Each structure stands twice: as C-alpha cells, then as structure tokens.
Amino acid sequence: MFQYFFECSGTIVKGVGFSHFDPLHLAWLFVFVLFCGFSCYFYKKTNTAKRKKIRFIFAGLLVLDEILKIVGLAAFGNYNANYLPFHLCSINILLIVIHAAKPFKVLDNFLYTICIPGALVALLFPTWTKLPLLNFMHLHSFTVHILLAVYPIMLTFAGDIRPRIKDLPKSLFLLVGMAIPIYFVNVLFDTNFMFLMEADKGNPLYIFEKMWGNHLWGFPVIISGVLLVMYFPHIVLLIKNKTQSKNTKKSLNNKTV
C-alpha cells in the first residue's frame, strides 16, 4: 500500500498516478474550495492580533511542508538540481514568509497578481500526475499549492491585501527580475525552473509550443489574460467611482445654480 510513498516523478513506475480532473483530482479541488472558504470566513472575523498569528501559521506550514519535501527526497537519494528552490512556488513560499513578518504594498500586489493565479494553475493542471495519493510528493504538491493559493486569497477577501493597478508594473518588474537569473540557473544545471526552458503536455504553455513553435510566446499572452481577469473588477470599480464622483459634482452644481 505504501510501496510508492517515497518515490518521486523521476523514479516511480508508470500507471500508478492520476489524471487531470479524475475523481482524485476533483476531490483535492473540493478540499481546496472548502479550506479556502473556511479560512476566508474565519480570518475576516478575527481581530488584528489574531490575523497576524494566522499569517505566521500559514507561513510556518509552508516552510515545514518544504522542509519535509527536501528531507524526504534527500533521505532516499532522490534530491537533485530539479528540486532547488527556484520554482515559482518555492519563491512564493519565501515571499509569504517575508509578507507574514512585514507586509508591504508591492509584495501585496505580487501575491495577488502572481501567487494566486500561479497556485491555481498548478492545482488545476498539476505536473505530478505520475504520483499516486499515497506518496509524499503527491501530498506535498497539493498541500503546498493549496496553502500558497489560500494565503493571498484569504488576505484579499479580508481587505488586508488591496491590489492597486499603479503598483502592477513593480510586481511585473519583480517577476522579470527573478526570471532572468533563474534562466541562467536553468542553463547551468539543465533544469526547467519557472517553465522557462520547456512546457510539458499538461502545461497550458504547451499549446503555444504546438501553435507557434515556442512555449515562451505563451507567457505574454497568458500573463495579459491573467492580469485582465485579476484586475477587471478593480477597473470596473474605478470607472464606477469616477462616474459617481462626476454625477455628484453635476448634482451639486445644479443645486447651486
């Protein structure tokens, strides 16, 4: 029953994993929705002091999750360059730890703009489908991405993260600033951090590989789409507020006349 527990994607036999949106995958997504809903409701109801504790708990669970992954891989000789902490999810763990200790606006925006959609895409299109449920990397991959998604969603729902369009360029600059050195890490270690070198069939970037010959063309398209989805409500609210402000001014002017 536990014969595959300490295997990883590179060592496990074929045919024991799961498929996208099969019952097991859907069950994990259901767990995510329930946990996210409960966390958002509970966090919003708490006071400032308790909110800080909850943020530290999430950060601590993420670090613990990552440590257990490293220990589990290293103990059975499976740790290699591909597991260095340069994937976007590993970077987001560090950013959440920093944010839990010292939140600031640029990081608020980054977690909202990059971390939420990144974690959601990983949950919807997992790359660890070779692994069965009773496998520590399977459990790690789902739990860490659930925590990565729920943390910024929870804070946004409660109003602690207030994404601002004017901070968006700084968030994108931070993303590009990380991608450039990580590209050279990929070249040096023959890795694929942040999917900069290639895209597997289960990855949405693979569509652009087939259409245009290079998956990298997918990044500006997907990022633009993500930004539109993430900031559309804020754009609508901004337009609504400006319209209301103009109508109020007109009304006051008419009353004065």
Side-chain angles (χ1 to χ4, degrees):
M1 191 175 185
F2 290 92
Q3 60 180 319
Y4 303 119
F5 191 79
F6 287 105
E7 300 290 339
C8 63
S9 295
T11 63
I12 199 161
V13 298
K14 293 182 179 180
V16 297
F18 65 100
S19 302
H20 289 156
F21 305 108
D22 71 356
L24 177 58
H25 186 198
L26 291 175
W28 273 113
L29 294 178
F30 182 67
V31 169
F32 160 67
V33 171
L34 284 181
F35 181 64
C36 187
F38 172 78
S39 299
C40 288
Y41 175 81
F42 183 76
Y43 185 82
K44 189 172 184 178
K45 293 292 184 181
T46 57
N47 57 38
T48 302
K50 287 183 178 179
R51 286 186 180 187
K52 188 173 183 179
K53 290 180 181 178
I54 293 171
R55 293 197 299 270
F56 274 113
I57 289 172
F58 267 77
L61 288 173
L62 281 165
V63 171
L64 178 62
D65 210 327
E66 187 72 6
I67 290 172
L68 290 175
K69 179 196 81 172
I70 295 170
V71 171
L73 288 167
F76 288 84
N78 293 324
Y79 190 84
N80 56 50
N82 291 301
Y83 295 105
L84 291 170
F86 297 121
H87 285 294
L88 188 57
C89 60
S90 298
I91 294 169
N92 283 333
I93 290 173
L94 175 61
L95 294 179
I96 284 176
V97 170
I98 295 171
H99 187 272
K102 185 69 175 178
F104 54 94
K105 291 177 181 177
V106 174
L107 196 48
D108 281 354
N109 243 55
F110 187 90
L111 292 178
Y112 175 81
T113 306
I114 307 299
C115 187
I116 291 176
L120 290 179
V121 168
L123 288 170
L124 289 171
F125 305 99
T127 58
W128 54 92
T129 52
K130 292 181 180 180
L131 305 174
L133 174 61
L134 296 178
N135 174 274
F136 86 103
M137 280 298 292
H138 176 113
L139 298 172
H140 157 77
S141 298
F142 272 113
T143 55
V144 78
H145 285 101
I146 287 173
L147 290 168
L148 284 170
V150 172
Y151 180 92
I153 291 173
M154 177 178 70
L155 269 65
T156 303
F157 181 79
D160 286 354
I161 287 180
R162 298 179 184 273
R164 303 188 306 173
I165 296 174
K166 68 178 184 179
D167 288 329
L168 184 54
K170 295 178 182 177
S171 298
L172 294 177
F173 180 78
L174 178 59
L175 179 64
V176 174
M178 293 188 299
I180 292 173
I182 288 174
Y183 172 82
F184 291 103
V185 170
N186 285 333
V187 173
L188 182 63
F189 292 103
D190 191 26
T191 50
N192 189 32
F193 298 121
M194 295 179 73
F195 303 110
L196 293 175
M197 312 309 286
E198 61 180 348
D200 296 327
K201 288 185 178 180
N203 191 315
L205 290 168
Y206 184 74
I207 299 171
F208 299 91
E209 174 79 28
K210 299 298 289 182
M211 287 195 308
W212 298 335
N214 194 321
H215 75 288
L216 293 176
W217 291 111
F219 279 106
V221 176
I222 291 176
I223 289 174
S224 298
V226 166
L227 294 180
L228 181 62
V229 171
M230 298 299 287
Y231 283 89
F232 181 75
H234 304 283
I235 294 170
V236 171
L237 185 61
L238 183 64
I239 294 172
K240 182 180 178 181
N241 289 338
K242 285 185 177 181
T243 303
Q244 288 179 343
S245 179
K246 287 181 180 179
N247 291 337
T248 301
K249 285 181 180 179
K250 284 182 181 179
S251 178
L252 290 172
N253 290 333
N254 291 334
K255 286 181 180 180
T256 304
V257 174

